[in-house]
Amino acid sequence: MKKFLIVVDMQKDFVDGSLGTAEAVAIVPDVVEKIRSFDGDIFVTLDTHFDDYLDTAEGQKLPVMHCIKDTEGWKLEEKVVEALQNKGFTTVEKHTFGSVDLPELLYRAAGEETFCVELVGLCTDICVVSNALLLKAFFPEIPIMVDASCCAGVTPEAHEAALVTMRSCQIDVRHHTSEE
Protein backbone atom coordinates (compact mmCIF):
# COMPACT_ATOMS: atom_id res chain seq x y z
CA MET A 1 0.00 0.00 0.00
CA LYS A 2 1.30 3.43 -0.93
CA LYS A 3 1.50 6.02 1.80
CA PHE A 4 1.01 9.73 1.28
CA LEU A 5 1.80 12.50 3.75
CA ILE A 6 0.15 15.85 3.14
CA VAL A 7 1.98 18.70 4.89
CA VAL A 8 -0.57 21.51 4.90
CA ASP A 9 0.56 25.14 4.80
CA MET A 10 3.55 25.00 7.16
CA GLN A 11 4.41 28.49 5.95
CA LYS A 12 6.08 31.27 7.91
CA ASP A 13 2.96 33.47 7.97
CA PHE A 14 0.99 30.68 9.68
CA VAL A 15 3.76 29.64 12.08
CA ASP A 16 5.16 32.90 13.43
CA GLY A 17 4.17 35.52 10.87
CA SER A 18 1.05 37.60 10.31
CA LEU A 19 -1.32 34.77 11.31
CA GLY A 20 1.06 32.79 13.53
CA THR A 21 0.24 31.40 16.97
CA ALA A 22 2.14 29.89 19.88
CA GLU A 23 0.38 26.59 19.13
CA ALA A 24 1.64 26.67 15.53
CA VAL A 25 5.21 27.28 16.68
CA ALA A 26 4.86 24.42 19.18
CA ILE A 27 3.99 21.77 16.54
CA VAL A 28 7.01 22.49 14.32
CA PRO A 29 9.30 19.87 16.01
CA ASP A 30 6.62 17.17 15.71
CA VAL A 31 5.96 18.02 12.05
CA VAL A 32 9.71 17.92 11.36
CA GLU A 33 9.98 14.50 13.04
CA LYS A 34 6.94 13.25 11.10
CA ILE A 35 8.52 14.31 7.79
CA ARG A 36 11.90 12.81 8.67
CA SER A 37 10.46 9.45 9.69
CA PHE A 38 7.81 9.20 6.96
CA ASP A 39 8.33 6.42 4.42
CA GLY A 40 6.23 7.34 1.42
CA ASP A 41 5.37 10.19 -0.92
CA ILE A 42 5.07 13.68 0.52
CA PHE A 43 2.91 16.49 -0.82
CA VAL A 44 3.36 20.00 0.58
CA THR A 45 0.58 22.54 0.14
CA LEU A 46 1.27 26.25 -0.03
CA ASP A 47 -1.48 28.74 0.66
CA THR A 48 -0.90 31.17 -2.19
CA HIS A 49 -2.33 34.65 -2.53
CA PHE A 50 -1.42 37.73 -4.55
CA ASP A 51 -1.24 41.49 -4.06
CA ASP A 52 -5.02 41.78 -4.65
CA TYR A 53 -5.77 39.49 -1.67
CA LEU A 54 -7.78 42.12 0.23
CA ASP A 55 -10.11 42.43 -2.79
CA THR A 56 -10.91 38.69 -2.81
CA ALA A 57 -13.84 37.05 -1.06
CA GLU A 58 -11.46 35.52 1.50
CA GLY A 59 -9.69 38.85 2.00
CA GLN A 60 -13.01 40.54 2.73
CA LYS A 61 -13.67 38.09 5.57
CA LEU A 62 -10.06 37.79 6.77
CA PRO A 63 -8.44 41.16 6.04
CA VAL A 64 -4.90 40.14 6.99
CA MET A 65 -2.33 40.00 4.19
CA HIS A 66 -0.66 36.60 4.32
CA CYS A 67 1.08 34.06 2.12
CA ILE A 68 1.55 36.50 -0.75
CA LYS A 69 3.44 34.53 -3.41
CA ASP A 70 7.23 34.92 -3.29
CA THR A 71 7.25 36.86 0.01
CA GLU A 72 9.03 35.63 3.15
CA GLY A 73 5.69 34.76 4.77
CA TRP A 74 4.73 32.53 1.81
CA LYS A 75 7.85 30.38 2.26
CA LEU A 76 7.90 27.20 4.30
CA GLU A 77 9.16 27.39 7.89
CA GLU A 78 12.95 26.83 7.90
CA LYS A 79 13.01 23.64 9.98
CA VAL A 80 10.35 22.13 7.72
CA VAL A 81 12.49 23.02 4.69
CA GLU A 82 15.48 21.29 6.32
CA ALA A 83 13.43 18.15 7.02
CA LEU A 84 12.24 18.03 3.41
CA GLN A 85 15.74 18.44 1.92
CA ASN A 86 16.50 14.73 1.70
CA LYS A 87 12.96 13.72 0.81
CA GLY A 88 11.26 13.72 -2.53
CA PHE A 89 8.13 15.85 -2.35
CA THR A 90 5.59 17.55 -4.55
CA THR A 91 4.62 21.17 -3.93
CA VAL A 92 0.97 22.05 -4.44
CA GLU A 93 0.05 25.73 -4.57
CA LYS A 94 -3.56 26.37 -3.61
CA HIS A 95 -5.58 29.55 -3.80
CA THR A 96 -8.31 28.52 -1.40
CA PHE A 97 -8.59 26.41 1.74
CA GLY A 98 -8.71 23.01 0.05
CA SER A 99 -6.63 22.00 -2.96
CA VAL A 100 -8.84 20.88 -5.83
CA ASP A 101 -5.67 19.55 -7.54
CA LEU A 102 -4.61 17.29 -4.68
CA PRO A 103 -6.99 14.35 -5.35
CA GLU A 104 -5.81 14.03 -8.96
CA LEU A 105 -2.17 14.26 -7.91
CA LEU A 106 -2.65 11.48 -5.35
CA TYR A 107 -4.60 9.35 -7.83
CA ARG A 108 -1.79 9.64 -10.39
CA ALA A 109 0.94 9.02 -7.80
CA ALA A 110 -0.82 5.88 -6.58
CA GLY A 111 -1.12 4.38 -10.04
CA GLU A 112 -2.80 1.00 -9.64
CA GLU A 113 -1.86 0.66 -5.96
CA THR A 114 -4.13 1.16 -3.00
CA PHE A 115 -3.10 4.01 -0.73
CA CYS A 116 -3.64 5.79 2.55
CA VAL A 117 -3.28 9.46 3.42
CA GLU A 118 -2.05 11.24 6.53
CA LEU A 119 -2.39 15.00 7.00
CA VAL A 120 -0.47 17.36 9.28
CA GLY A 121 -0.14 21.13 9.39
CA LEU A 122 -1.99 24.41 9.68
CA CYS A 123 -4.63 25.46 10.42
CA THR A 124 -6.61 22.48 11.70
CA ASP A 125 -9.92 24.32 11.52
CA ILE A 126 -9.45 25.82 8.07
CA CYS A 127 -7.06 24.22 5.59
CA VAL A 128 -6.40 20.85 7.27
CA VAL A 129 -10.11 20.07 7.70
CA SER A 130 -10.89 21.37 4.19
CA ASN A 131 -8.29 19.12 2.58
CA ALA A 132 -9.20 16.11 4.73
CA LEU A 133 -12.90 16.41 3.85
CA LEU A 134 -12.16 17.01 0.19
CA LEU A 135 -9.98 13.88 0.06
CA LYS A 136 -12.61 11.85 1.92
CA ALA A 137 -15.22 12.95 -0.64
CA PHE A 138 -12.99 11.90 -3.55
CA PHE A 139 -11.75 8.69 -1.92
CA PRO A 140 -14.46 7.44 0.50
CA GLU A 141 -12.93 3.97 0.83
CA ILE A 142 -9.32 4.87 1.56
CA PRO A 143 -7.96 5.44 5.05
CA ILE A 144 -7.48 9.13 5.77
CA MET A 145 -5.82 10.11 9.02
CA VAL A 146 -4.93 13.39 10.70
CA ASP A 147 -2.18 13.52 13.31
CA ALA A 148 -3.63 16.02 15.80
CA SER A 149 -0.28 16.46 17.56
CA CYS A 150 1.13 17.80 14.28
CA CYS A 151 -1.69 20.30 13.73
CA ALA A 152 -2.73 23.59 15.29
CA GLY A 153 -5.84 25.66 14.83
CA VAL A 154 -6.55 29.37 14.89
CA THR A 155 -7.36 28.77 18.57
CA PRO A 156 -7.12 25.63 20.71
CA GLU A 157 -10.94 25.51 20.77
CA ALA A 158 -11.17 25.74 16.98
CA HIS A 159 -8.54 22.97 16.69
CA GLU A 160 -10.62 20.66 18.90
CA ALA A 161 -13.86 21.51 17.06
CA ALA A 162 -12.23 20.61 13.72
CA LEU A 163 -11.02 17.30 15.14
CA VAL A 164 -14.60 16.51 16.22
CA THR A 165 -15.86 17.38 12.74
CA MET A 166 -13.27 15.16 11.06
CA ARG A 167 -14.03 12.23 13.37
CA SER A 168 -17.73 12.66 12.53
CA CYS A 169 -16.82 12.36 8.85
CA GLN A 170 -14.90 9.11 9.42
CA ILE A 171 -11.43 10.58 9.25
CA ASP A 172 -9.11 8.92 11.76
CA VAL A 173 -7.74 11.41 14.24
CA ARG A 174 -4.68 10.27 16.14
CA HIS A 175 -2.17 11.85 18.51
CA HIS A 176 1.40 10.80 17.73
CA THR A 177 4.32 12.75 19.02
CA SER A 178 8.03 12.45 18.43
CA GLU A 179 8.36 10.83 21.87
CA GLU A 180 6.28 7.79 20.83
Side-chain angles (χ1 to χ4, degrees), residues 34-83:
K34 176 73 68 177
I35 291 167
R36 286 189 175 139
S37 65
F38 189 76
D39 184 24
D41 294 349
I42 300 174
F43 292 81
V44 177
T45 70
L46 293 174
D47 194 44
T48 303
H49 301 294
F50 304 94
D51 290 334
D52 68 345
Y53 172 75
L54 294 177
D55 297 325
T56 67
E58 180 183 328
Q60 295 296 303
K61 293 185 184 285
L62 178 64
V64 178
M65 294 291 279
H66 66 281
C67 298
I68 306 302
K69 187 170 175 134
D70 297 326
T71 64
E72 277 303 303
W74 178 73
K75 295 177 183 175
L76 290 171
E77 195 279 338
E78 289 91 359
K79 292 179 183 91
V80 172
V81 171
E82 290 171 17

Side-chain angles (χ1 to χ4, degrees), residues 105-153:
L105 292 169
L106 296 182
Y107 181 78
R108 279 195 232 142
E112 298 295 316
E113 290 185 58
T114 59
F115 63 96
C116 61
V117 178
E118 180 173 5
L119 294 98
V120 299
L122 302 168
C123 295
T124 318
D125 50 312
I126 303 174
C127 293
V128 174
V129 69
S130 294
N131 283 287
L133 292 173
L134 191 142
L135 291 172
K136 191 64 174 175
F138 270 84
F139 306 114
E141 298 301 320
I142 69 157
I144 298 177
M145 193 268 283
V146 170
D147 187 338
S149 59
C150 292
C151 295

Side-chain angles (χ1 to χ4, degrees), residues 10 17 23 34 49 71 83 85 87 90 96 109 122 161-162 177 179:
M10 287 298 297
E23 293 82 11
K34 176 73 68 177
H49 301 294
T71 64
Q85 279 182 341
K87 299 278 189 173
T90 301
T96 187
L122 302 168
T177 62
E179 287 83 42

